Amino acid sequence: MPDGLHGEPDRQKCRGFAPKGVGVEWFGPDLGECPPGKTDLTGGFRVSKSDVDVVVVGAGFAGMYLLHELRANGFSSRVLEAGDDVGGTWYWNRYPGARCDISTTDYSYTWDPELHDQWTWSEKHAAQPEILKYAQFVAKKHDLYSGIDFNVKVTGAVWNDSTKRWTINASTGETITARHYVMATGCLSVPKDPDIPGTDRYQGPVYVTGRWPHEGVDFTGKRVAVIGTGSSSIQSIPHIAAQASELVVFQRTPNYSMPAFNGPQPADRVARLKGDRKAYEAEARLSSAGVPMEMPTVSALGVSRDEAFAMLEKSWQKGELLAIGATFMDVGTNREANEVICDFMRSKIKEVVKDPETAELLSPRGHAYGTKRPCMDTNYFQTFNLPHVRLVDLRKKPITSITETGIEFGDESKDFDAIVYATGFDAMTGAIVNVDITGKNGLTLKKKWEHGPLTYLGLTSVGFPNFYMITGPGSPSVLSNMMVSIEQHVEWIRDTLVDLREAGFDTIEATPVAEEGWRVHCTDCADITLFQDTNSWYMGANVPGKPRVLFPYIGGVGRYRQTCDEVRARGYLGFELSGSGKAQRNDGIVRQVQPDVDMVLEMMAQMGLPSMDSMSPAEARAFSEASSAMRPPGPEVGEMIDGTLPGAGGPLEYRLYRPATKGPHPVVVYFHGGGWVFGSHVSDDPLCRDLCKNADVLIVSVNYRHAPEDRFPAAADDGYAALQWVAANAASLGGDPSRIAVAGWSAGGNVAAVAAQLARDNGGPSLKGQLLLTPVTDGSRQHGSHHENADGFILTKSLMEWFWNHYADESDRSHPKASPLLASNLAGLPPAMVVTAQFDPLRDEGDAYARALMGAGVPVEHLQARGHIHTSITMVDALPSGKPPRAQMAAALRRFLA
Ligand code: N01
């Protein structure tokens, strides 16, 4: 229930009635004298409590919705807001031209369905005044003003581990205690220090886009300087130019921007929304960025440049922020693919800006599209065609100082009547660490985060019980439609508070294991993108001394929501709960599979593919070939030659991959995967090319006879025969006969390991090394990973049984030619690299082989690929997370064969 008393707004009555802090006070905007005849005041009387269930900081869209939900669920609360009205970012950012660049069809609350009929947006991209009015409308409608203390800043918050409560200190001198403490302070709410010498010298008016005067600014006839060319600047420059007599824009880094094509809401989105609002909203919640979008399936490199530009033009015409980036599937992870978009965007700038030199200065080069926040504008680039607008390139003419009257830059000094700082924010963490938040054992969040924010799910942090962040670092936040992410976080916090209350718990705190697991997952996600190469505020690079990590979570809104839901569904996985003499610690890590691998698994699950072990061998072969046809080909190599060689039971096909470098090259005899049943000398083509190029070795990929037509030991015998032939013919193949190694994946890893043993036992050839990628080493299949990873990771326990059943009788499986791990002696084998994958049924037998080799004195490099599955490391150019392990494999081959 709302903890308020409601009455007609009457400031005179209020004044005499309730002095601040006593208990009953006036709420609502500070009005000075009550204006006569004003009837639409939002205000009244309320009982102000100094001990509540929840204190919320911030009354933007997050704080407002949370207040509503807390009341609806019977929690007492105080919402403390530094401004004198609701709206958060839309309260502060009043610079000319400020607009939301997510369409209003998507940038609206969904929690109150009545709003859809009660509020009509006038434009596709709402301008700041309209969004602020929307926030005020909702606040009035739901009586939220009565739950918010305005003009109050939180200066500190301290956790008391005895009382299990937070003590919150406010700028008014008031102290409030609360069971739970929520920072709903927004991601871009603390303007960063412009970090330019002499800023305090300037005597004229200074404006900061993120703190724009409420009454507006008239630049008519003025000489104005704007510093910065991010979103705020790009939106405001055309408006400032329209008034100023002279405008100089100081640009350090040019940005990608596309026209907003503002106007009515997009007809297609409106139709979808009106057709089935629930379905539309559900799609947004499970989408990648919080806006329903068709997911791209085409690589920017898979179409001609003309086709790519035609597709991009179509996206461009939509006038939607996310459309360009969603044209192709690989722009976020592949620099070359991304460059296609960059070229397109630059061509657009050239079309608009008349002076070629200015056009080039405005053209971003050196950072990938999307790694700095892309912008949307109305006539931004056109503004530079105006005679009174000048662009200064700070890379050539840096600002040496702001002076009393203007700016010194390069060899110039210019006077200005006003300076506008559009220099951005201390994003994501600024607002949180600016408040002195002290958790258990006196640890401050600022101290804990000095090397980067550590959170569990971007919602909580170890050592800070009952503390929550809405759209905190480590959550999709600024890489998403904020409305969707805000609602999701509010609902998760609400549900958690209800769950705790119902179960009789007082506190909730993430465990260190869970938090570290989330950090690793966030890093894994970041590692496969292009973000790290760019100096952006996403990476903390805009604030000197800020740690360099990717602050938002890049794994996607839908996946993130599922993760948070899963944490709850699994009994608060990764959290410790306590209260009333009881405690529950449900330790664990919620996402361990590499993010790109996870996406492939999800896609395959959605496709509902038949399991291969339900097929006949012929069907499985056809299926495997069809899947292979769809994958990227792998890197170019010098040449590829197909041939045949004599196997143990007849001719065997092979494919030779030669590097482009000068030979003779060391030689690697490679054996393909496919469970001895399917695959061929060309079925691991991308991996062979990758190894050939990166290890600079000649690869001879050899076919071998397949089961069930040719059962054990046909594959093993063919493998050894092929090795002997290649060794004998290495020189004529262009290789170096003195430097030979074997390699193989899966069943091919089994064939390679067996070939190495046979070579040792049968007088050669002498091998320099063996590279075994997720090999089969033990036909007993008794290892724990067969059970632990039995299902869900492509290679299943039952598929492995199907392979073995086709390949070898039970009685043969313990033979070392079938199970190299069971060989009585592993001494004297060549140095090995054994790669195993965390989520592979074969993991433990591969690990056991690595250990056994080491135990026998064989030099071994053992790579346990975290978060990988049996197949993922072979998926060249499809799964970026496989690149580092493959690089290690190539390095091992180079070392063996040096
Ligand atoms: O800030 P920014 P912003 N000397 O950090 C430059 C959201 N937003 O306020 O790139 C010289 O993007 C800096 O240069 P560089 C949106 O998420 C949304 O514009 O660091 N220049 C850059 O050009 C956005 O991304 C909307 O080399 C200096 C600029 O200042 C985020 O807010 C609208 C400098 C800062 O750009 C922030 O945008 C507006 C220095 N010392 C904002 N320091 C909508 O939804 C910084 N710069 C529409």
Side-chain angles (χ1 to χ4, degrees), residues 89-90 93 95 97-102 188 192-197 209-210 227-235 250-255 321 372-376 394-395 399 421-425 478 535-538 541-542:
T89 199
W90 301 108
N93 285 272
Y95 59 84
R99 271 180 198 276
C100 180
D101 44 22
I102 295 288
L188 296 154
K192 77 159 199 138
D193 179 352
D195 184 30
I196 297 170
T209 46
I227 303 176
T229 47
S231 292
S232 306
S233 175
I234 281 177
Q235 287 188 329
F250 291 88
Q251 169 189 277
R252 190 162 65 186
T253 313
N255 245 322
L321 181 70
K372 266 177 178 298
R373 165 71 145 66
C375 306
M376 295 203 85
L394 290 179
R395 289 177 177 173
I399 296 176
Y421 290 104
T423 42
F425 297 89
V478 292
N535 286 328
S536 67
W537 61 258
Y538 292 138
N542 65 331

Side-chain angles (χ1 to χ4, degrees), residues 58-83:
F61 283 119
M64 288 166 60
Y65 180 33
L66 183 56
L67 171 60
H68 181 270
E69 292 305 289
L70 291 172
R71 284 173 165 180
N73 287 280
F75 294 103
S76 60
S77 64
R78 294 279 297 274
V79 178
L80 310 176
E81 164 59 50

Side-chain angles (χ1 to χ4, degrees), residues 293-304:
M293 302 284 290
E294 217 171 289
M295 289 316 285
T297 51
V298 179
S299 158
L301 305 174
V303 291
S304 72

Side-chain angles (χ1 to χ4, degrees), residues 2-182:
D3 54 332
L5 295 173
H6 307 285
E8 281 305 301
D10 183 337
R11 189 172 170 80
Q12 300 306 325
K13 210 156 109 194
C14 166
R15 259 191 187 159
F17 183 58
K20 265 200 177 247
V22 167
V24 181
E25 62 183 348
W26 167 256
F27 67 80
D30 188 3
L31 300 166
E33 288 306 312
C34 191
K38 191 129 172 81
T39 55
D40 62 341
L41 303 179
T42 42
F45 305 106
R46 76 165 151 240
V47 178
S48 149
K49 291 185 185 165
S50 58
D51 182 58
V52 286
D53 294 324
V54 188
V55 161
V56 180
V57 188
F61 283 119
M64 288 166 60
Y65 180 33
L66 183 56
L67 171 60
H68 181 270
E69 292 305 289
L70 291 172
R71 284 173 165 180
N73 287 280
F75 294 103
S76 60
S77 64
R78 294 279 297 274
V79 178
L80 310 176
E81 164 59 50
D84 66 6
D85 205 343
V86 294
T89 199
W90 301 108
Y91 169 90
W92 297 105
N93 285 272
R94 299 175 189 232
Y95 59 84
R99 271 180 198 276
C100 180
D101 44 22
I102 295 288
S103 166
T104 43
T105 43
D106 303 281
Y107 196 80
S108 299
Y109 274 141
T110 65
W111 54 269
D112 175 4
E114 285 177 9
L115 284 174
H116 307 316
D117 299 322
Q118 293 169 343
W119 183 269
T120 307
W121 293 104
S122 66
E123 293 179 278
K124 178 170 94 171
H125 296 112
Q128 173 271 332
E130 190 175 17
I131 305 176
L132 183 57
K133 277 199 191 105
Y134 175 75
Q136 291 165 334
F137 176 80
V138 176
K140 279 185 201 168
K141 176 180 177 208
H142 289 282
D143 184 32
L144 301 179
Y145 280 106
S146 64
I148 304 168
D149 292 61
F150 293 99
N151 298 310
V152 179
K153 275 191 172 175
V154 172
T155 54
V158 183
W159 172 253
N160 184 329
D161 215 30
S162 322
T163 60
K164 308 288 181 206
R165 299 186 89 77
W166 283 95
T167 301
I168 291 104
N169 301 312
S171 54
T172 51
E174 193 186 1
T175 296
I176 307 163
T177 51
R179 177 71 77 200
H180 302 274
Y181 175 48
V182 185

Side-chain angles (χ1 to χ4, degrees), residues 659-670:
T661 52
K662 195 169 174 303
H665 298 95
V667 182
V668 174
V669 184
Y670 178 86

